């Protein structure tokens, strides 16, 4: 029997990997980064506890990370990085 992975879970797992790499590269607290990305310091904690988020908002968050990625830091391996944009708008 094969396990079916829900697409939203895969997207959230990917977002959390990006988030963790960004936090490690910048040394910023989870709540600080969560506030910058989502205007909600508790959003990432909620996702870690199994919370959900729409596909568009997840995509905007990944785009935010790409546009604000620290110079010299490696993007997480195995995750396609979208082309950075000039937009620094919160997701």
């Amino acid at each position: 029997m094969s396990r079916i992975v829900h697409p939203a879970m895969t997207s959230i797992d990917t977002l959390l990997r990006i988030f963790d790499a960004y936090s490690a590269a910048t040394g910023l607290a989870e709540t600080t980064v969560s506030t910058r990305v989502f205007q909600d310091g508790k959003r990432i904690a909620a996702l870690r506890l199994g919370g959900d988020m729409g596909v568009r908002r997840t995509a905007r968050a990944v785009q935010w990370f790409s546009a604000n990625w620290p110079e010299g830091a490696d993007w997480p391996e195995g995750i396609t990085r979208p082309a950075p944009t000039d937009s620094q708008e919160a997701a």
Side-chain angles (χ1 to χ4, degrees):
M1 182 169 158
S2 65
R3 180 174 174 232
I4 298 174
V5 177
H6 190 278
M9 286 304 296
T10 302
S11 297
I12 290 172
D13 291 342
T14 298
L15 176 61
L16 291 174
R17 283 188 55 212
I18 294 168
F19 180 92
D20 289 340
Y22 180 90
S23 293
T26 62
L28 296 171
E30 180 171 290
T31 54
T32 301
V33 179
S34 186
T35 298
R36 290 181 182 181
V37 177
F38 299 109
Q39 302 298 307
D40 178 356
K42 297 177 183 176
R43 170 55 69 185
I44 288 296
L47 293 174
R48 288 191 196 285
L49 293 173
D52 200 5
M53 189 166 59
V55 173
R56 287 187 183 117
R57 190 166 188 202
T58 303
R60 283 193 309 267
V62 171
Q63 189 63 55
W64 185 95
F65 281 112
S66 185
N68 294 281
W69 199 253
E71 190 172 324
D74 292 330
W75 185 261
E77 188 174 326
I79 298 174
T80 302
R81 181 178 179 183
T85 64
D86 292 335
S87 174
Q88 293 187 4
E89 181 178 314

